[in-house]
Amino acid sequence: MSVLLTLCVVLLPLATPGRGARRWEPCTDLRPLDILAEAVPPDGAASGISVTRVQGALGLQLSAAAPHAMSFPASKIFVRCDLFPEEFSIVVTLKPPSLPPKKNEYLFSVVAEGPDALLLGLRYSPTRVHFLFLREDAAGAWQTRVTFRSPALTDSQWHTLVLAVTEDSFSLTMDCGVPVDITADVRFPATLSMQGARFFIGSRRRTKGLFTGLVRQLVLLPGSDATAQLCPCRNADIILSIPPVLQGLTGRPEDNEVLKYPYETNVKMTLGPRPPCTKVEDAQFWFDASRKGLYLCVGSEWVSVLAAKEKLDYVEEYQSLHTNSETLGLEVFVIPEAGLFVATANRKATSAIYKWMDGKFASYQNIPTQQAQSWRHFTIGRKVFLAVANFDPNEKGQEFSVIYKWSQRKLRFTPYQRVPTHSARDWEAFEMAGEHFLAVANHREGDNHNINSVIYKWNPRTRLFEPNQTIATCGAYDWEFFTVGPYSFLVVANAFNGTSTKVQSHLYVWLLGSFQLFQSFLTFGAADWEVFRIGDRIFLAVANSHSYDVEMQVQNDSYVINSVIYELNVTAQTFVKFQEITTCSALDWEFFSVGEDYFLVVANSFDGNTFLVNSIIYRWQGYEGFVAVHSLPTFGCRDWEAFRTTAGSYLVYSSAKEPLSRVLRLRTG
């Protein structure tokens, strides 16, 4: 009896094509190891192993009668030093089978040759992933198990797991999602000897616990967390290194040699209208003559192999989202295993969260707020947070903005921390060197707009955000964080100094443990910064909302002013003006892409006479800069958000003048 084994385990760095991986030499030599390549012959010719294709990917099929088929002595890779690294990552790509409750299967193990002692192992059950290792102390040897919840492994899809071990911390990341972190009472041993041990792929040397999925990749990266190298890519089939037998071709042919494939397959091409993508069509092709596109059936979806460039044809209204009151800000975000959400910052006493269900946003949760201006979603480890910027004081006259935390038990956001703020307009969440920060844009205190905004830092001990730095701002409206190479930047949109909207907005760079002034920009009621990249070029766009000075009489055209796009000049180490675009009291920029095209949409809110003005989508035209391509009727438009679902691409905008937000669908051709 044979079982289908689809398992991918990879050790970084990559092994070069050919037999074997780089060897683990001295204890300080932190080079990656391809464990699977060591266990599988180059041609796959071994008793109990065969190559099988599932959902368009090749994997290894292991016979239940041959648990020893994929194994090798640890001495093959632990040559000069027989100690397993104290800190490491293991990358595993697998397509696990459906298992009955309480059944466990081993992904790999390291077993002592003499006594049948498990030194190291990784196994999974329908709802858990278990990492096991052997520890020794004065009382003797004993086995430790670290367990992670992993319900999503039962969906019969390919997944990539990254297990990272650092001192007493254990982390499991699946498909570049939110990592599951565990701090154990004991540390991974610093002196786990591999002398006389043997690696087993897909088993623990026995038939019992044999892995019955498919195997494709297995890699060990000593001394490092591989997550940073693999993510934020969300493709479950992340291939770092695979044995030659699983590569598309056997290798480079010699002169006059015909290319040889390690397997045979029947390729079928379907023409005409889109056919169903079912098990019958799995791994087959469909050619769309109208779009000149070639597609491959993978699972239940047609995946583009060669398709015509996707183009934005037009924008259509898709959903009218009725809100509790006028909406000043939107935040679209995804919670793994929970879904897609949008949070609305409403002017009146209740803001709301909507969930994407059956192709539309539906009411999900109401949250009391005080003239909310914006929401910010962020994560710390496996914790999911949502922070609201409250503009008005509460019923007791206290000014607080609130951070909410997602409750996995209640499937709702619950209050987590109150933060003193002053007419807060915006939160910005960011991470630097593994530390988490929140910056609040304090707009004014009473009638005084020249006050400090505050940067808070997460304290892992107290599990609270604590003040870390204050920065003088003038009617601050927005913060935007971004990085350029090893440098971290934070730019503030200053809107008003008490007498004029003609003020300097500032860009800060992180140096020596604090943000320091890097560059200043003359802005006019700046309401938003948007940073975006096109190729290797980095841009900053500011939304200028209003030209006003108490010494000047306000004219209607003071709202129709230029907003500015700046580009980073790497040689001069400064942002220079790239393009000016006429806007009508612009309050927000949103950057998005469709296919290979890049776009900016501006929230035009008021032209001096009416709030019924068009917002504009601009397309990147290279040398010409951004050129207007679509005009969208909006009413008091305040904020834009772009998002994607499996059904397509969308934009959603909020209105500060009516209790109605609108979802627009991007039609492509």
Side-chain angles (χ1 to χ4, degrees):
M1 175 182 178
S2 63
V3 293
L4 194 61
L5 174 68
T6 304
L7 166 68
C8 177
V9 182
V10 180
L11 300 178
L12 295 175
L14 305 184
T16 55
R19 181 70 183 103
R22 296 179 180 178
R23 304 299 196 263
W24 176 260
E25 297 178 351
C27 293
T28 57
D29 186 5
L30 304 182
R31 291 181 292 179
L33 305 168
D34 189 334
I35 300 298
L36 194 58
E38 292 289 350
V40 182
D43 57 0
S47 176
I49 301 177
S50 59
V51 177
T52 303
R53 175 180 290 274
V54 173
Q55 294 183 351
L58 290 176
L60 295 175
Q61 185 174 19
L62 181 63
S63 170
H68 296 263
M70 287 198 293
S71 69
F72 62 92
S75 58
K76 289 186 66 176
I77 56 177
F78 292 86
V79 178
R80 300 180 184 176
C81 176
D82 61 5
L83 297 182
F84 200 88
E86 184 178 3
E87 297 184 352
F88 58 90
S89 292
I90 296 174
V91 183
V92 184
T93 302
L94 69 156
K95 182 182 176 295
S98 297
L99 295 180
K102 298 184 179 181
K103 183 175 181 181
N104 289 269
E105 293 186 349
Y106 280 87
L107 305 180
F108 87 100
S109 65
V110 183
V111 180
E113 284 281 27
D116 188 14
L118 181 70
L119 302 179
L120 191 74
L122 190 65
R123 73 186 188 196
Y124 103 102
S125 68
T127 59
R128 300 286 191 274
V129 171
H130 307 282
F131 175 57
L132 306 98
F133 56 90
L134 189 71
R135 283 187 54 84
E136 293 184 359
D137 57 16
W142 48 282
Q143 194 176 93
T144 298
R145 183 177 67 188
V146 180
T147 299
F148 303 88
R149 289 180 57 87
S150 187
L153 279 176
T154 59
D155 60 0
S156 298
Q157 300 296 318
W158 287 92
H159 295 288
T160 292
L161 306 179
V162 179
L163 172 69
V165 177
T166 305
E167 295 183 346
D168 60 347
S169 177
F170 302 85
S171 175
L172 183 71
T173 303
M174 184 171 75
D175 301 337
C176 288
V178 177
V180 178
D181 300 316
I182 294 178
T183 301
D185 296 332
V186 296
R187 299 176 57 171
F188 186 82
T191 57
L192 183 60
S193 175
M194 295 289 101
Q195 187 172 7
R198 191 173 187 88
F199 278 79
F200 289 86
I201 311 303
S203 75
R204 188 192 166 175
R205 190 161 66 180
R206 311 164 181 166
T207 302
K208 182 180 179 180
L210 186 76
F211 183 64
T212 55
L214 278 177
V215 62
R216 181 173 174 81
Q217 172 179 245
L218 172 60
V219 173
L220 167 69
L221 177 61
S224 180
D225 184 350
T227 310
Q229 300 188 31
L230 299 177
C231 301
C233 175
R234 291 190 175 273
N235 181 1
D237 193 18
I238 302 168
I239 300 302
L240 297 175
S241 178
I242 58 176
V245 68
L246 296 181
Q247 297 174 13
L249 299 175
T250 56
R252 183 176 179 178
E254 302 295 335
D255 291 345
N256 300 322
E257 180 184 356
V258 178
L259 292 176
K260 297 184 178 67
Y261 289 81
Y263 61 93
E264 294 182 359
T265 182
N266 294 321
V267 178
K268 176 184 176 183
M269 182 76 71
T270 302
L271 300 176
R274 179 187 294 263
C277 179
T278 64
K279 291 183 179 180
V280 177
E281 291 80 17
D282 191 36
Q284 302 301 325
F285 290 96
W286 162 58
F287 182 72
D288 185 353
S290 63
R291 297 185 58 189
K292 297 180 176 63
L294 182 63
Y295 299 85
L296 176 68
C297 179
V298 178
S300 60
E301 296 183 3
W302 290 104
V303 177
S304 172
V305 178
L306 287 174
K309 295 181 180 179
E310 187 181 24
K311 295 288 185 180
L312 176 60
D313 282 348
Y314 61 94
V315 182
E316 63 179 4
E317 184 168 336
Y318 181 77
Q319 180 186 6
S320 294
L321 184 62
H322 295 274
T323 53
N324 295 333
S325 61
E326 300 90 336
T327 302
L328 302 176
L330 298 166
E331 180 79 342
V332 177
F333 56 95
V334 173
I335 299 177
E337 302 177 16
L340 173 71
F341 298 86
V342 61
T344 62
N346 296 121
R347 185 185 300 277
K348 294 185 179 178
T350 303
S351 293
I353 297 173
Y354 301 84
K355 183 178 179 179
W356 187 265
M357 294 185 291
D358 298 324
K360 297 288 181 68
F361 282 116
S363 180
Y364 187 80
Q365 181 182 1
N366 287 323
I367 296 179
T369 53
Q370 309 295 326
Q371 197 178 145
Q373 301 292 300
S374 64
W375 289 96
R376 183 66 64 210
H377 161 263
F378 61 96
T379 61
I380 298 177
R382 55 183 174 178
K383 303 179 184 68
V384 179
F385 295 95
L386 196 60
V388 64
N390 283 325
F391 192 77
D392 283 349
N394 60 21
E395 61 279 357
K396 298 180 181 179
Q398 302 167 321
E399 285 194 81
F400 287 103
S401 292
V402 184
I403 302 171
Y404 295 84
K405 180 177 177 291
W406 176 257
S407 170
Q408 194 63 43
R409 181 176 63 86
K410 298 180 180 179
L411 298 180
R412 291 289 188 273
F413 282 99
T414 58
Y416 184 82
Q417 181 181 356
R418 294 198 310 174
V419 181
T421 54
H422 301 290
S423 298
R425 289 282 192 182
D426 178 62
W427 284 105
E428 178 73 342
F430 53 95
E431 180 182 353
M432 296 186 299
E435 297 184 311
H436 297 268
F437 298 83
L438 271 179
V440 65
N442 285 325
H443 187 68
R444 72 181 185 209
E445 186 174 7
D447 293 330
N448 181 20
H449 290 78
N450 301 303
I451 61 173
N452 288 334
S453 291
V454 184
I455 300 171
Y456 297 87
K457 181 180 177 181
W458 175 258
N459 185 330
R461 183 179 59 82
T462 63
R463 298 185 180 182
L464 294 172
F465 282 97
E466 300 172 353
N468 185 72
Q469 182 181 357
T470 58
I471 296 179
T473 53
C474 305
Y477 232 95
D478 178 63
W479 284 107
E480 185 80 5
F481 174 83
F482 63 97
T483 59
V484 178
Y487 299 101
S488 297
F489 294 90
L490 195 59
V491 61
V492 65
N494 286 324
F496 187 58
N497 63 8
T499 60
S500 176
T501 61
K502 184 180 179 180
V503 295
Q504 296 284 336
S505 291
H506 301 298
L507 174 65
Y508 301 89
V509 63
W510 180 263
L511 290 174
L512 303 176
S514 66
F515 283 102
Q516 302 179 27
L517 183 63
F518 180 81
Q519 185 178 352
S520 297
F521 306 87
L522 182 62
T523 54
F524 297 85
D528 177 65
W529 283 102
E530 179 82 350
V531 63
F532 55 93
R533 290 170 167 80
I534 299 177
D536 294 330
R537 304 171 70 176
I538 301 173
F539 298 88
L540 265 178
V542 64
N544 286 324
S545 68
H546 188 195
S547 179
Y548 169 81
D549 194 295
V550 294
E551 298 178 356
M552 299 173 57
Q553 183 178 0
V554 178
Q555 302 293 327
N556 286 341
D557 61 0
S558 62
Y559 294 93
V560 181
I561 57 177
N562 286 340
S563 292
V564 184
I565 301 172
Y566 299 88
E567 182 181 4
L568 177 63
N569 185 314
V570 178
T571 303
Q573 296 185 355
T574 187
F575 280 91
V576 297
K577 187 179 295 185
F578 173 78
Q579 183 179 2
E580 293 188 2
I581 296 177
T582 302
T583 53
C584 301
S585 191
L587 297 178
D588 181 58
W589 285 107
E590 179 76 1
F591 177 77
F592 64 97
S593 62
V594 175
E596 297 181 1
D597 291 329
Y598 302 98
F599 298 89
L600 274 175
V601 58
V602 65
N604 284 327
S605 65
F606 184 60
D607 65 1
N609 294 302
T610 179
F611 293 99
L612 189 61
V613 294
N614 290 336
S615 292
I616 308 296
I617 296 179
Y618 300 86
R619 183 174 61 210
W620 172 251
Q621 296 286 96
Y623 179 78
E624 299 175 71
F626 285 92
V627 177
V629 291
H630 294 279
S631 184
L632 310 174
T634 52
F635 182 55
C637 186
R638 179 64 183 85
D639 192 18
W640 282 100
E641 289 285 317
F643 66 96
R644 296 176 185 268
T645 72
T646 55
S649 300
Y650 302 84
L651 291 171
V652 56
Y653 84 85
S654 66
S655 171
K657 292 300 173 181
E658 63 177 347
L660 187 69
S661 294
R662 299 182 188 275
V663 181
L664 309 178
R665 186 168 185 174
L666 305 181
R667 286 293 187 180
T668 59

